[in-house]
Amino acid sequence: MLTCIIQYQIDPTKKEQFQTYARNWGQAIPRCGADLVGYFAPHEGSSTLAYGIYNIPSLAEYESYRARLSADPLGQENYAFAQQEGFILREDRTWLRCVSAPHDRT
């Protein structure tokens, strides 16, 4: 199992738009085949960093998932919403594999 952590740099004046975006992914991501851990918006500390975290079995499955997400009506709407509103300033993905017990998911 792989974990994808998406780090977003967001416009701090558009936190509500990011929260709408996150709630939409909360519906679309699981429907398209990934195990969503959650989306996390700024609360204390940095007002510009947010995260999306999900698990997927492999990079090959990720490619299939991305195709389904791109074809999903809510996914398409959410991509367009982010472009239109401009609240995401930067987006970086990191892929991790859990290596500690008891959550070793090899």
Side-chain angles (χ1 to χ4, degrees), residues 32-91:
C32 291
D35 173 25
L36 181 64
V37 174
Y39 265 74
F40 302 86
H43 180 68
E44 286 289 324
S46 172
S47 62
T48 61
L49 290 180
Y51 296 89
I53 304 172
Y54 61 89
N55 298 308
I56 201 143
S58 67
L59 290 177
E61 179 56 33
Y62 172 72
E63 294 301 324
S64 298
Y65 153 77
R66 290 289 293 183
R68 289 188 300 271
L69 194 62
S70 293
D72 183 86
L74 182 56
Q76 291 173 349
E77 183 181 309
N78 218 27
Y79 286 128
F81 174 65
Q83 291 295 313
Q84 177 185 348
E85 294 294 321
F87 52 87
I88 298 174
L89 305 177
R90 182 179 171 136
E91 180 178 331

Side-chain angles (χ1 to χ4, degrees), residues 1-7 29 33-40 51-62 65 92-100 103-106:
M1 186 67 66
L2 298 174
T3 299
C4 181
I5 299 177
I6 308 169
Q7 179 178 306
I29 287 173
D35 173 25
L36 181 64
V37 174
Y39 265 74
F40 302 86
Y51 296 89
I53 304 172
Y54 61 89
N55 298 308
I56 201 143
S58 67
L59 290 177
E61 179 56 33
Y62 172 72
Y65 153 77
D92 295 306
R93 280 179 175 71
T94 301
W95 290 94
L96 303 172
R97 179 180 305 279
C98 183
V99 295
S100 63
H103 301 291
D104 187 18
R105 299 178 184 200
T106 55

